[in-house]
C-alpha cells in the first residue's frame, strides 16, 4: 500500500515538474530576453545530447530559431549558427540541416567547426538518398559533397565514415543501373539488355554485380539468338559464344558456370546445323 502511494506521489511530482517546465519554456518563447534564450537554448541542447531527448532538442531548436539572426556578427553568432544546424541534424531534419550547415560554412569558413559542418552537410545528403529504384539526384549530390569533404580533409576526423557512405551510395547507383539492365532481360528486350549490360560493365569495373552482369549479358545474347529468324541465328549464336568466353575468362568457377555451360552445349549443337 505504502509503495503504491509512493509511486503515485512520484508520478504526480513528475507531472507537476513537467507542467512547470513547459510553462517556463512557453514564457521564455514569448519574452524579449535574447540572452536568456541563448543560455537556455544551449542548456536544452546539451541536455538533449546527454539524455538522448528529442523533446529537449526541439525546445532548443524553438529558441535558436528565434534568436539566430539577432546574433549574427556577434561573438555568439558562430556558436548559435552551428548549434542550429546540428540540432536539425540530430532531429533528422536533413533538408534543413544541409541548408543550415552550408550557410554556416559560407558565414564562418575558418571556424574550428568547419570540418564537422562540412561532413554533416554531406551526411545530410547521404541520409536523404532514396531507395535505389527511385530518382538518384540526391544520391549523386551526396557523393559529390562527400568527395568535397574527403578532398578538403584527407586526414580528417570523419574520413572513414565519409568513405563508407560514399561506397554505399556508389553501390546503390550500380544496383539501379544493374536492375534496369536485368529488367530488360526479364521482359525479353534482349537487345536493350545486352547494350545496358555492356554499359554497366564498362562503367562499373569493380561492382559486386559484375559477375551477374556478365552472365545475364550472355544469357540475353543466347536467348536473342535462339529466338531469331534463321538468317540471323548463326551470327547471333557466335556473338553469344563470345560473351560466354568473356564470362569464362573472369569467372572460370563462377556462380553461374553450370547454367552457362549448358547453354554453350546447346549453342554448339545449333551451330553444327549451319
Amino acid at each position: 500500500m505504502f509503495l503504491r502511494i509512493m509511486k503515485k506521489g512520484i508520478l504526480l511530482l513528475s507531472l507537476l515538474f513537467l507542467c512547470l517546465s513547459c510553462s517556463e519554456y512557453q514564457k521564455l518563447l514569448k519574452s524579449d530576453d535574447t540572452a536568456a534564450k541563448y543560455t537556455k537554448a544551449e542548456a536544452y541542447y546539451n541536455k538533449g545530447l546527454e539524455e538522448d531527448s528529442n523533446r529537449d532538442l526541439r525546445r532548443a531548436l524553438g529558441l535558436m530559431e528565434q534568436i539566430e539572426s539577432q546574433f549574427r556578427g556577434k561573438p555568439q553568432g558562430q556558436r548559435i549558427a552551428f548549434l542550429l544546424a546540428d540540432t536539425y541534424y540530430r532531429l533528422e531534419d536533413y533538408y534543413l540541416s544541409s541548408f543550415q550547415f552550408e550557410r554556416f560554412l559560407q558565414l564562418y569558413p575558418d571556424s574550428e567547426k568547419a570540418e564537422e559542418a562540412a561532413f554533416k552537410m554531406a551526411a545530410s545528403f547521404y541520409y536523404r538518398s532514396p531507395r535505389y529504384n527511385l530518382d538518384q539526384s540526391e544520391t549523386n549530390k551526396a557523393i559529390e559533397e562527400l568527395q568535397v569533404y574527403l578532398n578538403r580533409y584527407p586526414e580528417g576526423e570523419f574520413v572513414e565514415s565519409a568513405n563508407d557512405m560514399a561506397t554505399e551510395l556508389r553501390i546503390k547507383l550500380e544496383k539501379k543501373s544493374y536492375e534496369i539492365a536485368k529488367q530488360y532481360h526479364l521482359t525479353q528486350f534482349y537487345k536493350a539488355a545486352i547494350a545496358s549490360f555492356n554499359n554497366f560493365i564498362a562503367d562499373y569495373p569493380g561492382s559486386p554485380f559484375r559477375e551477374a552482369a556478365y552472365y545475364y549479358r550472355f544469357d540475353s545474347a543466347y536467348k536473342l539468338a535462339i529466338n531469331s529468324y534463321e538468317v540471323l541465328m548463326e551470327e547471333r549464336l557466335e556473338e553469344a559464344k563470345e560473351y560466354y568466353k568473356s564470362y569464362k575468362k573472369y569467372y572460370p568457377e563462377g556462380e553461374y558456370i553450370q547454367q552457362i555451360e549448358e547453354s554453350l552445349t546447346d549453342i554448339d549443337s545449333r551451330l553444327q546445323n549451319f
Side-chain angles (χ1 to χ4, degrees):
M1 184 70 177
F2 177 74
L3 287 175
R4 188 180 303 170
I5 293 171
M6 283 289 293
K7 287 179 181 179
K8 286 183 178 179
I10 292 170
L11 179 59
L12 287 171
L13 286 172
S14 298
L15 290 171
L16 179 61
F17 176 77
L18 182 61
C19 290
L20 290 172
S21 175
C22 289
S23 176
E24 178 191 5
Y25 175 67
Q26 292 300 326
K27 287 180 181 178
L28 193 56
L29 280 176
K30 295 173 183 177
S31 80
D32 296 323
D33 189 345
T34 55
K37 287 183 178 182
Y38 175 88
T39 301
K40 198 62 179 178
E42 190 157 7
Y44 278 132
Y45 171 84
N46 290 329
K47 186 180 178 184
L49 298 191
E50 290 169 6
E51 299 182 6
D52 194 22
S53 167
N54 281 354
R55 185 190 68 183
D56 288 305
L57 288 174
R58 282 191 290 269
R59 287 183 172 183
L61 184 62
L63 294 172
M64 286 188 283
E65 286 176 331
Q66 286 188 346
I67 64 175
E68 188 270 335
S69 62
Q70 299 174 51
F71 279 94
R72 287 179 203 164
K74 297 180 181 180
Q76 306 97 323
Q78 183 179 144
R79 173 70 173 164
I80 200 74
F82 179 84
L83 292 184
L84 178 63
D86 197 51
T87 305
Y88 280 125
Y89 182 82
R90 294 178 184 278
L91 289 171
E92 301 181 6
D93 189 340
Y94 297 119
Y95 285 91
L96 284 174
S97 66
S98 61
F99 171 77
Q100 292 294 344
F101 278 123
E102 183 176 19
R103 195 162 67 86
F104 174 84
L105 290 168
Q106 291 170 349
L107 292 171
Y108 309 104
D110 299 321
S111 169
E112 64 179 15
K113 289 288 190 178
E115 181 193 343
E116 185 177 351
F119 169 72
K120 286 184 173 178
M121 182 181 74
S124 296
F125 284 105
Y126 162 83
Y127 289 117
R128 284 162 52 175
S129 174
R131 298 192 307 273
Y132 78 89
N133 57 336
L134 300 176
D135 177 75
Q136 294 301 305
S137 299
E138 297 279 13
T139 302
N140 286 314
K141 177 66 174 174
I143 292 172
E144 178 185 329
E145 292 299 336
L146 286 164
Q147 194 59 54
V148 168
Y149 168 80
L150 290 166
N151 291 343
R152 188 173 297 164
Y153 304 100
E155 297 180 5
E157 179 183 355
F158 308 98
V159 163
E160 185 176 352
S161 295
N163 275 318
D164 289 344
M165 288 177 173
T167 298
E168 181 184 331
L169 294 177
R170 290 189 184 102
I171 291 174
K172 184 184 290 187
L173 293 179
E174 293 170 14
K175 184 173 178 62
K176 181 179 179 70
S177 180
Y178 167 77
E179 291 293 344
I180 288 171
K182 190 175 178 182
Q183 190 62 29
Y184 284 131
H185 171 81
L186 294 174
T187 52
Q188 301 180 18
F189 289 99
Y190 296 125
K191 286 185 180 180
I194 293 166
S196 294
F197 281 123
N198 279 333
N199 290 335
F200 177 86
I201 289 166
D203 291 343
Y204 305 109
S207 172
F209 308 106
R210 186 173 174 82
E211 180 188 350
Y214 269 93
Y215 168 72
Y216 283 111
R217 179 180 66 170
F218 160 79
D219 198 50
S220 294
Y222 166 65
K223 287 175 178 172
L224 175 65
I226 64 175
N227 288 288
S228 296
Y229 292 113
E230 189 171 350
V231 67
L232 299 172
M233 188 178 295
E234 182 179 12
E235 179 182 353
R236 288 178 175 176
L237 287 168
E238 292 288 359
E239 182 180 357
K241 199 167 182 178
E242 290 302 313
Y243 289 139
Y244 160 83
K245 291 176 183 177
S246 294
Y247 177 90
K248 184 79 172 179
K249 175 182 177 181
Y250 293 108
Y251 307 101
E253 298 179 1
E255 178 183 353
Y256 304 94
I257 195 66
Q258 183 176 347
Q259 299 99 303
I260 209 170
E261 293 287 3
E262 290 173 358
S263 298
L264 179 68
T265 300
D266 183 53
I267 288 172
D268 287 336
S269 176
R270 290 172 184 271
L271 283 172
Q272 288 178 5
N273 297 326
F274 293 95

